[in-house]
């Protein structure tokens, strides 16, 4: 009986000492230190300009941070973290060529330069360029697929930026 009791107590102590913790939100932040973030506007500095892209991208990035963290997104001011940048590329390029030497696929690529500033820890700043693309059939007009492609690419870019900055992957 005493042996069983000793085994049970030992097992409980071992299980409490060996706890495993996971963060399913993807953020690697200490919320006792980081409480606020500001996301500046991302002006379009690309040769080709699609005006709705700026708002689409900014919304995707802001929504991802709001969903994946407990940070309070503020317009500006003295925040713990800051993300700023610009959309530097919006380009179309032919991809697959058919038997008539015409492109059968076209690629839309969007490039964003991001500066991530950690006002609490100077060593955590990032200045990096991110790119993402989607291919579409050359039989389709860009104007018909542009909104959906920009939304998809913006989601991917927001994910890449989140993982490289707040997610700390």
């Amino acid at each position: 009986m005493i042996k069983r009791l000793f085994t049970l107590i030992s097992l409980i102590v071992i299980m409490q000492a060996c706890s495993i913790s996971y963060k399913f939100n993807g953020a690697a932040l200490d919320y006792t230190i980081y409480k606020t973030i500001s996301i500046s506007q991302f002006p379009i500095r690309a040769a080709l300009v699609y005006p709705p892209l700026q708002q689409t991208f900014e919304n995707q990035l802001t929504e991802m941070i709001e969903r994946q963290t407990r940070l309070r997104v503020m317009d500006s001011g003295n925040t713990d973290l800051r993300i700023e940048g610009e959309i530097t590329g919006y380009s179309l390029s032919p991809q697959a060529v058919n038997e008539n030497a015409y492109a059968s696929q076209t690629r839309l690529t969007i490039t964003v330069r991001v500066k991530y500033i950690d006002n609490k820890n100077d060593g955590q700043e990032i200045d990096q360029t991110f790119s993402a693309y989607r291919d579409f059939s050359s039989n389709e007009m860009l104007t018909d697929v542009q909104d959906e492609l920009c939304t998809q690419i913006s989601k991917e870019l927001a994910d890449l930026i989140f993982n490289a900055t707040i997610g700390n992957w």
Side-chain angles (χ1 to χ4, degrees):
M1 180 72 176
I2 294 178
K3 188 174 183 180
R4 279 188 178 171
L5 183 61
F6 179 73
T7 305
L8 182 63
I9 292 172
S10 297
L11 186 61
I12 291 171
V13 169
I14 289 172
M15 291 186 67
Q16 286 180 347
C18 298
S19 66
I20 299 171
S21 86
Y22 295 100
K23 292 182 181 180
F24 291 108
N25 67 0
L29 293 173
D30 181 351
Y31 291 110
T32 61
I33 298 171
Y34 299 101
K35 299 187 183 330
T36 59
I37 187 169
S38 65
I39 303 168
S40 70
Q41 292 185 347
F42 278 73
I44 300 173
R45 306 265 191 252
L48 287 175
V49 176
Y50 179 57
L53 174 61
Q54 178 179 351
Q55 191 66 47
T56 299
F57 172 73
E58 291 169 2
N59 288 345
Q60 291 295 332
L61 184 58
T62 301
E63 287 172 13
M64 173 163 280
I65 290 169
E66 288 175 338
R67 276 192 322 266
Q68 300 284 334
T69 72
R70 290 184 277 164
L71 294 171
R72 196 171 80 237
V73 178
M74 301 176 66
D75 289 337
S76 61
N78 191 15
T79 57
D80 301 326
L81 300 168
R82 193 168 79 231
I83 296 178
E84 57 189 40
E86 58 192 359
I87 298 168
T88 58
Y90 184 87
S91 61
L92 295 167
S93 58
Q95 291 306 301
V97 178
N98 63 22
E99 65 276 355
N100 298 330
Y102 291 108
S104 60
Q105 290 282 309
T106 302
R107 176 169 290 172
L108 173 61
T109 304
I110 299 173
T111 306
V112 179
R113 184 183 151 267
V114 174
K115 188 170 184 182
Y116 171 75
I117 299 137
D118 184 336
N119 291 319
K120 298 287 186 178
N121 185 353
D122 291 336
Q124 295 297 320
E125 294 183 3
I126 295 172
D127 191 343
Q128 190 173 343
T129 300
F130 299 89
S131 242
Y133 64 86
R134 290 291 183 276
D135 294 337
F136 64 98
S137 171
S138 294
N139 295 333
E140 296 177 288
M141 296 292 295
L142 176 62
T143 54
D144 294 338
V145 295
Q146 193 165 216
D147 286 335
E148 179 61 29
L149 294 175
C150 285
T151 299
Q152 291 173 11
I153 295 170
S154 292
K155 282 181 184 177
E156 183 176 340
L157 286 168
D159 190 48
L160 291 169
I161 293 165
F162 180 86
N163 287 337
T165 57
I166 297 168
N168 200 18
W169 288 87

